[in-house]
Amino acid sequence: MEFLRPATWDEALAAKAEFPTALPISGGTDVMVEMNFDVHRPSAILDLNRITELRQWEITDGVVRLGASVPYARIINELSEPLPGLALAAHTVGSPQIRNRGGVGGNLGGASPAGDAHPALLAAGRDVFVEVASAARGTRMIAIDDFYVGVKRNSMEKDELILRVHIPVADGPQQFSKIGTRNAMVIAVCAFGFALHPKNGTVGTGIGSAAPTPRRAVAAEEFLQGVLAERGLWESGDLLGAEVIQQFGELVKAAASPIDDVRGTADYRRHSLAVMARRTLTWTWNDYSKQIRSAA
Amino acid sequence: MSTRTIQGQKNLQDIRTGSPDGIGGSPLRPDGTLKVKGEFAYSSDLWHEDMLWGMALRSPHPRANILSVDISEAVKTPGVYAVLTHDDIPGAKFYGLEIQDQPALAKDKVRYHGEAIAIVAADHPETARRAVKKIKVEYEVLTPIVTEEQCLNPEVYGYVHEPHEFKSHGHGNICHSQKLVSGLGVTDEVRAMADVIVKGEYEVGMQDQAFLGPESGLAVPSEDGGMDLYVATQWLHVDRQQIAPVLGIPEEKLRLTLAGVGGAFGGREDLSMQIHACLLAQRTGKPVKIVYARDESFFGHVHRHPAKMYYEHGATRDGKLVYADARIVLDGGAYASASPAVVGNAASLGHGPYVIPNVRMDAIALYSNNPSCGAMRGFGAVQACFGYETQMDKLAVALDMDPVELRQLNAMSEGDYMPTGQMIDSPAPVAELLQRVKDMPLPPPLDLTNLDVRTLPGALSNTTHGEGVVRGIGYSVGIKNVGFSEGFDDYSTARVRLEVIGGEPVAMVHTAMAEVGQGGITVHAQIARTELGVEQVTIHPANTEVGSAGSTSASRQTYMTGGAVKYAAEAVAQALIEKGRKRYGWTHNDLSLIGGKVVSESAGALVSMVDLLGDDAIDLTREHHHRPTVPFDKETGQGFGHVQYTFCANRAVVDVDVELGLVKVVELTAAQDVGKALNPLSVVGQIQGGCTQALGLAVMEEIIVKDGKVRNASFTDYLIPTILDVPPIPVDILELPDPNAPYGLRGVGEAPTVSATPSIVAAIRQATGIALNRIPVRPEHLTGTL
């Protein structure tokens, strides 16, 4: 097995071009587990730990440019305000040790439907982009909606690496809920991310572990956006009412296509998605209402 | 009698009853700091120059005929030293704890998913792994025999062990069975005497010991044609007894030394890698190390028997039990392991700590193509306790009685008889224990104004901010035996040596006791200090140079090997005093060893031990046999079958998110009679640990097996409680001495694992109003989405 340790981003891209089957590793919280289980015996490992850009974030023009290897612990400590949904998701990742090592790049690279970051990224809006690069073609931006293409498959080319993720700074409340059968260190049975985007009058959703890929509940988003616009609720901050909340939950549930597995039944996943959708909508809307009223 | 409530380490200072370092004190464990700092040497850390790495090829099928095994490619792999199959075994081909029905390597057929077929030794673990993949096995895959219905109809579904190869006590696919009848049994006439009858069917999933240190050890061939084996196990001598015949060498040529054990809980009572490492070392003439990976560990040891149970109880209108009937079906999997003893416990303890005039019980263990099941903390009693305690709650509802009062009304106490006819001849404070957990202050209600999601069901997964959360409270009590039963003489041996080293009297304690984390070596030193009046005690490494210490299981080690250390130390003390009598002509009969001196109660200190010993060493070995027991009658279950009984009561307080089916155990209280707490800190640790393992069984721990195949052989999907799942566990300890036991002590480790699970389920039941007849309780059970 080749072990490649590029010192710079350009060297990393060159190495990936030369060894397209090389498995990138940063925190190793996913890669090492799979190697221990003999799932992978890659011909080469590409260690990205020396590349400083991957461990940095910055905010420019209202967008967080989050390096692929910024660990979850730093997302919690440093980015809870601009990225509240992702920070809540980061809280649910593994143990403190795992959160000190793992980052969003690993979630995106693995593209597991159970990755905790995905629902939060999907909910964060249509302007979330994954910035990837190759030695041959340079940088390109993949919209988050186009990123997940199948079970543990993303839309990257073999010679590409993930540099960073572009996520708009939150302009409204965001929430993230995850079901696990214990109270910490648990892989998602299913998960739901939700965000209000008052600036453009949209809402964002993300479903985890309940379909072959992470996905949005598009009909639920459209329904809710319609209600909010028609009733002038963005302006008034008035109560949504039980029927709207209920209907939103049902539409989220309908958007999932879960399976039965050792972690839970498909029925339970659908049921709990509806509950999480109702609750996260309620929490975010309550927060939003408070903001409107305190501003008024 | 002394009792005290312990809530965490701080209050432990108050309950020290002896000298700080003798019995009754809580000196710190020598291994504790090392383990916390990651410096403790576990068996997986063993290393030897020139050693090879062993690895096994395991069956992907639960039931198949092996048509051929082709090792030619594997043998040719550079770096591979040996590839062995069943045909290469020099001695006995089968082994087993009680029944030798398990092949050291599968021959002609495999009976469970993960059964070892061939073993490889190579100079690097990766080489060994690759070589294993090159072994070609041709299987004829058969439909596995996995359900009770299939097992009980072998002429239709087949035999796990064909009749001509059957080695156990049962027949067909029944490995072992035990019936029990007492009083009038259970007949229509008896039923007619009851005003209220409750019935139920209950199911217990397959729990795993989930110890953190995987199976591992190092076999080193010796020049005399024998073998030295360093291994993490629970019982060195019974390992040796099983390994030596397979190697074709006499037992004395096989020497075992205990390596660092990372947890056991029964899972190391059977052999795992021992025979494989020894066979490879014997063949190659080189040291061979085997360390299981986590997934292999799940296939490499036995689990807790899953159970299906039918219970029926009848009572008078005022709550007095009239009769109890039960049938317990335990799935023992492919090989016998400890199944006979598990059946014996289920049958004899399966009606709980209650006085019941008329009883019937039928307990069986099946052979199946599911994973083998055997010893796990509280075996037989754990499964049954979920059944009878759920019944008690059901009966309380039917009678409109308080569930604690109903239990107290029927609780057994000293002088009462077990359904086996055995009289309880030492304290049995069952009603008192229940009262104590009931009287403990309740935790405060959920404070939603001061929200901390970590205290809510789901915790940081952020699934509720109080929505759907309902609190419930549940109670339970359980009974467990201590020591091996049914006529088994599981004696323990201890050697104690006293001599002067560096101007100080020093005691050395040598036993073969497996320290698996229970704190036994700390207790041995405490006993030696108390009996010999010394400060310095050395613990000799546990090995087979001294006689057997029996198994570290059945809550027995402090009782049995601790007792042996006491008797050996007393003998040494007597020998030293005799020496003084001879030398000085003492006539006192009130002599003992205190503070490094021979002390007369009437005349004070007579001589220092240093002066009396001089250059001599006193080195004596003693065996400790518990009082004899007898096997239970096959049909009636009658007999003086158990050495000692132990009881624990629990109260569980839970918060359940009833919409999502998620549970947070808020508090789990325990009250237990321990006879005498030799080391109160360790006793509390045992009770809290036992409660935690019971919590795991209540709400999360299960090996999921489908059509004989294990679906979750990893800690990603086999979940055990984390710090956020384990609540405060206040412990209330009673010390009512058992006159039959050394120091009056009572085995501690298992009773809370038996009793705590049903209290948690009862609390969830109270919060949700759902029947909950199966454990572990899953969110699907609570939300109707199974």
Side-chain angles (χ1 to χ4, degrees):
Chain A
M1 187 188 294
E2 292 282 330
F3 189 68
L4 310 167
R5 292 203 72 204
T8 66
W9 180 240
D10 286 340
E11 278 179 37
L13 293 179
K16 186 64 173 157
E18 191 181 348
F19 299 93
T21 58
L23 188 60
I25 186 169
S26 182
T29 58
D30 218 12
V31 169
M32 289 312 297
V33 172
E34 300 220 320
M35 283 181 62
N36 280 335
F37 274 109
D38 225 3
V39 177
H40 299 303
R41 278 288 180 271
S43 58
I45 287 201
L46 181 58
D47 178 8
L48 299 173
N49 278 291
R50 292 168 73 191
I51 298 159
T52 47
E53 296 96 303
L54 296 175
R55 311 183 73 78
Q56 295 167 347
W57 62 264
E58 58 180 13
I59 298 178
T60 13
D61 303 332
V63 175
V64 181
R65 293 149 57 93
L66 178 68
S69 301
V70 174
Y72 291 110
R74 282 182 58 203
I75 294 175
I76 295 166
N77 291 330
E78 301 165 19
L79 291 166
S80 279
E81 271 191 39
L83 303 178
L86 186 62
L88 282 168
H91 267 292
T92 76
V93 175
S95 60
Q97 294 89 336
I98 301 284
R99 292 194 288 273
N100 283 336
R101 296 284 303 170
V104 172
N107 251 204
L108 290 168
S112 159
D116 293 317
H118 308 314
L121 293 177
L122 284 167
R126 309 283 61 78
D127 293 328
V128 173
F129 294 95
V130 183
E131 183 179 347
V132 302
S134 68
R137 299 177 307 283
T139 305
R140 70 178 174 123
M141 303 283 256
I142 307 175
I144 196 70
D145 282 346
D146 302 328
F147 189 78
Y148 311 105
V149 295
V151 178
K152 298 198 172 186
R153 284 194 300 118
N154 57 34
S155 53
M156 292 168 65
E157 301 295 333
K158 289 229 179 303
D159 61 349
E160 287 178 326
L161 291 171
I162 302 168
L163 177 58
R164 57 175 78 90
V165 189
H166 298 243
I167 313 160
V169 171
D171 62 319
Q174 302 186 350
Q175 281 289 347
F176 176 87
S177 282
K178 163 174 147 183
I179 301 283
T181 35
R182 72 178 165 196
N183 290 307
M185 277 182 72
V186 71
I187 197 158
V189 173
C190 59
F192 185 68
F194 182 69
L196 295 174
H197 302 297
K199 269 192 189 156
N200 59 9
T202 63
V203 302
T205 60
I207 293 172
S209 282
T213 66
R215 63 163 66 149
R216 291 160 58 201
V218 177
E221 290 176 5
E222 287 170 353
F223 159 75
L224 188 59
Q225 283 161 192
V227 170
L228 295 176
E230 279 164 27
R231 302 188 192 170
L233 293 170
W234 286 115
E235 294 74 28
S236 68
D238 283 349
L239 289 177
L240 293 173
E243 266 177 47
V244 171
I245 294 169
Q246 180 71 24
Q247 180 64 13
F248 178 72
E250 291 306 309
L251 289 169
V252 168
K253 177 179 175 175
S257 37
I259 54 165
D260 289 330
D261 66 16
V262 291
R263 292 171 194 152
T265 63
D267 272 358
Y268 177 69
R269 289 184 161 103
R270 274 189 284 265
H271 166 82
S272 54
L273 275 170
V275 176
M276 289 191 290
R278 294 199 298 264
R279 290 183 182 174
T280 52
L281 170 57
T282 306
W283 301 335
T284 48
W285 192 256
N286 286 349
D287 286 349
Y288 180 73
S289 297
K290 267 181 226 155
Q291 287 168 19
I292 293 289
R293 286 188 205 129
S294 62
Chain B
M1 165 173 163
S2 66
T3 66
R4 65 276 297 227
T5 299
I6 303 172
Q7 283 182 283
Q9 195 180 343
K10 205 175 162 202
N11 297 338
L12 279 169
Q13 305 310 320
D14 305 335
I15 68 149
R16 185 168 283 168
T17 54
S19 77
D21 299 317
I23 65 161
S26 295
L28 291 181
R29 300 158 50 137
D31 53 332
T33 308
L34 294 174
K35 283 175 175 169
V36 171
K37 292 172 78 174
E39 291 168 357
F40 184 81
Y42 289 100
S43 53
S44 50
D45 299 319
L46 290 163
W47 189 85
H48 197 291
E49 210 169 324
D50 290 339
M51 74 180 185
L52 304 176
W53 296 78
M55 206 161 284
L57 170 73
R58 294 179 180 274
S59 168
H61 309 293
R63 185 178 179 222
N65 290 322
I66 300 172
L67 304 178
S68 67
V69 181
D70 177 2
I71 62 167
S72 55
E73 287 299 310
V75 173
K76 277 187 254 170
T77 309
V80 168
Y81 283 71
V83 181
L84 306 179
T85 68
H86 187 87
D87 296 330
D88 300 303
I89 295 171
K93 310 280 192 187
F94 293 85
Y95 71 96
L97 271 179
E98 296 179 45
I99 297 157
Q100 286 74 50
D101 64 350
Q102 182 155 6
L105 290 166
K107 178 178 166 53
D108 302 335
K109 62 171 81 172
V110 287
R111 295 186 179 85
Y112 73 96
H113 178 202
E115 182 159 7
I117 297 166
I119 46 177
V120 172
D123 56 9
H124 190 281
E126 183 65 20
T127 307
R129 193 180 349 251
R130 288 178 189 181
V132 162
K133 286 196 172 160
K134 290 181 184 168
I135 301 171
K136 295 188 192 77
V137 183
E138 206 183 336
Y139 297 99
E140 180 195 358
V141 178
L142 304 172
T143 306
I145 305 160
V146 292
T147 66
E148 181 186 349
E149 152 84 12
Q150 290 166 352
C151 292
L152 294 180
N153 292 289
E155 57 292 337
V156 181
Y157 299 99
Y159 293 86
V160 178
H161 299 263
E162 296 294 330
H164 69 270
E165 57 185 8
F166 193 87
K167 291 173 181 161
S168 193
H169 317 299
H171 58 86
N173 288 321
I174 296 176
C175 174
H176 194 87
S177 61
Q178 177 69 58
K179 290 185 192 312
L180 184 149
V181 183
S182 78
L184 302 171
V186 176
T187 61
D188 288 345
E189 288 75 22
V190 170
R191 283 194 174 96
M193 288 152 55
D195 301 316
V196 176
I197 293 173
V198 291
K199 304 174 183 181
E201 286 180 34
Y202 306 102
E203 196 177 336
V204 179
M206 184 186 288
Q207 191 181 18
D208 191 75
Q209 298 83 356
F211 44 68
L212 298 187
E215 291 86 343
S216 42
L218 175 69
V220 185
S222 58
E223 284 177 4
D224 65 351
M227 191 75 64
D228 287 286
L229 177 63
Y230 303 84
V231 68
T233 181
Q234 288 179 234
W235 188 356
L236 291 167
H237 285 76
V238 88
D239 279 12
R240 180 168 75 166
Q241 192 185 314
Q242 293 175 90
I243 301 164
V246 180
L247 303 182
I249 60 173
E251 275 191 33
E252 58 271 20
K253 283 200 171 180
L254 177 61
R255 295 162 294 267
L256 272 72
T257 302
L258 188 72
V261 184
F265 314 109
R268 294 186 210 271
E269 201 158 88
D270 285 88
L271 297 179
S272 56
M273 44 59 63
Q274 286 94 327
I275 288 175
H276 297 165
C278 289
L279 285 171
L280 290 167
Q282 194 178 37
R283 171 62 70 100
T284 61
K286 284 171 160 289
V288 174
K289 172 175 174 171
I290 293 182
V291 182
Y292 286 177
R294 180 58 60 195
D295 53 344
E296 189 171 20
S297 174
F298 275 97
F299 295 108
H301 62 255
V302 299
H303 317 289
R304 186 188 295 295
H305 287 68
K308 289 194 170 160
M309 307 182 288
Y310 171 79
Y311 270 92
E312 179 180 326
H313 283 78
T316 61
R317 206 162 283 114
D318 54 4
K320 272 293 211 187
L321 288 171
V322 173
Y323 76 91
D325 195 8
R327 175 178 151 79
I328 299 177
V329 179
L330 302 151
D331 185 349
Y335 297 107
S337 179
S339 278
V342 178
V343 169
N345 278 2
S348 58
L349 306 169
H351 283 300
Y354 300 111
V355 177
I356 313 174
N358 306 295
V359 165
R360 186 168 66 177
M361 166 67 78
D362 186 3
I364 62 171
L366 302 170
Y367 274 128
S368 73
N369 293 118
N370 287 318
S372 288
C373 291
M376 182 175 170
R377 200 174 196 171
F379 67 53
V382 163
Q383 294 92 335
C385 188
F386 174 61
Y388 61 72
E389 285 301 89
T390 305
Q391 284 283 105
M392 286 303 123
D393 285 337
K394 238 182 214 187
L395 190 57
V397 170
L399 291 163
D400 195 22
M401 275 182 80
D402 176 88
V404 172
E405 283 171 22
L406 173 70
R407 285 172 170 86
Q408 288 176 316
L409 183 65
N410 294 287
M412 60 172 48
S413 50
E414 187 169 358
D416 284 329
Y417 288 84
M418 291 292 290
T420 58
Q422 183 172 5
M423 193 182 81
I424 308 281
D425 57 359
S426 69
V430 177
E432 166 79 11
L433 294 171
L434 283 160
Q435 195 60 44
R436 282 169 178 272
V437 291
K438 192 179 180 182
D439 289 346
M440 294 267 254
L442 279 163
L446 202 56
D447 180 6
L448 290 179
T449 56
N450 237 329
L451 189 76
D452 178 351
V453 290
R454 287 175 301 181
T455 65
L456 294 167
L460 285 170
S461 290
N462 191 39
T463 44
T464 178
H465 295 168
E467 299 91 337
V469 178
V470 180
R471 180 155 293 188
I473 300 174
Y475 294 90
S476 61
V477 64
I479 180 171
K480 179 68 183 51
N481 61 313
V482 174
F484 282 27
S485 303
E486 301 184 60
F488 202 103
D489 181 17
D490 52 317
Y491 70 94
S492 281
T493 315
R495 174 184 158 222
V496 173
R497 181 182 173 92
L498 183 65
E499 63 192 318
V500 177
I501 299 175
E504 249 190 300
V506 177
M508 187 273 289
V509 178
H510 183 190
T511 75
M513 176 197 70
E515 170 62 67
V516 304
Q518 80 275 26
I521 55 173
T522 312
V523 166
H524 288 181
Q526 291 176 259
I527 292 170
R529 287 192 198 100
T530 293
E531 298 300 334
L532 295 171
V534 297
E535 284 182 17
Q536 299 301 323
V537 183
T538 312
I539 302 292
H540 192 286
N543 58 27
T544 49
E545 282 170 22
V546 66
S548 175
S551 178
T552 301
S553 60
S555 306
R556 63 176 287 288
Q557 275 301 16
T558 302
Y559 188 125
M560 290 307 301
T561 308
V565 172
K566 177 178 192 276
Y567 299 135
E570 282 172 350
V572 167
Q574 277 314 309
L576 183 63
I577 288 167
E578 276 314 305
K579 191 179 164 76
R581 287 188 204 279
K582 280 199 186 121
R583 184 185 294 175
Y584 301 110
W586 298 329
T587 54
H588 316 73
N589 50 14
D590 59 354
L591 301 178
S592 56
L593 307 183
I594 299 169
K597 297 184 176 69
V598 180
V599 177
S600 158
E601 206 174 311
S602 52
L606 299 179
V607 66
S608 80
M609 288 160 63
V610 170
D611 288 342
L612 184 52
L613 272 164
D615 293 334
D616 292 347
I618 301 175
D619 193 324
L620 294 172
T621 299
R622 289 291 180 271
E623 282 181 3
H624 176 208
H625 298 255
H626 58 65
R627 55 183 176 163
T629 60
V630 299
F632 298 121
D633 182 272
K634 271 315 252 185
E635 293 303 314
T636 66
Q638 299 300 295
F640 192 96
H642 292 308
V643 178
Q644 188 188 47
Y645 295 97
T646 169
F647 308 91
C648 182
N650 296 94
R651 181 187 68 198
V653 179
V654 304
D655 281 337
V656 184
D657 182 336
V658 298
E659 269 191 290
L660 287 174
L662 300 177
V663 176
K664 170 85 180 176
V665 181
V666 175
E667 189 191 74
L668 184 55
T669 304
Q672 186 169 339
D673 171 26
V674 305
K676 163 79 183 171
L678 263 57
N679 183 317
L681 180 59
S682 284
V683 162
V684 171
Q686 282 289 320
I687 295 170
Q688 292 179 328
C691 285
T692 301
Q693 216 149 15
L695 185 157
L697 178 60
V699 295
M700 64 181 83
E701 290 191 40
E702 182 175 8
I703 294 189
I704 295 169
V705 183
K706 191 155 191 285
D707 301 326
K709 290 199 179 185
V710 174
R711 301 280 308 278
N712 56 339
S714 76
F715 281 153
T716 305
D717 285 312
Y718 184 88
L719 301 181
I720 55 177
T722 70
I723 193 73
L724 276 180
D725 299 285
V726 181
I729 305 177
V731 176
D732 192 351
I733 288 180
L734 270 72
E735 290 185 297
L736 310 179
D738 176 354
N740 301 302
Y743 300 116
L745 73 85
R746 208 172 278 285
V748 172
E750 292 173 293
T753 307
V754 173
S755 61
T757 303
S759 71
I760 296 165
V761 181
I764 301 171
R765 208 179 277 126
Q766 198 202 44
T768 60
I770 298 170
L772 302 178
N773 295 324
R774 186 187 196 282
I775 45 173
V777 175
R778 299 181 63 91
E780 283 86 349
H781 295 130
L782 300 176
T783 53
T785 53
L786 200 59

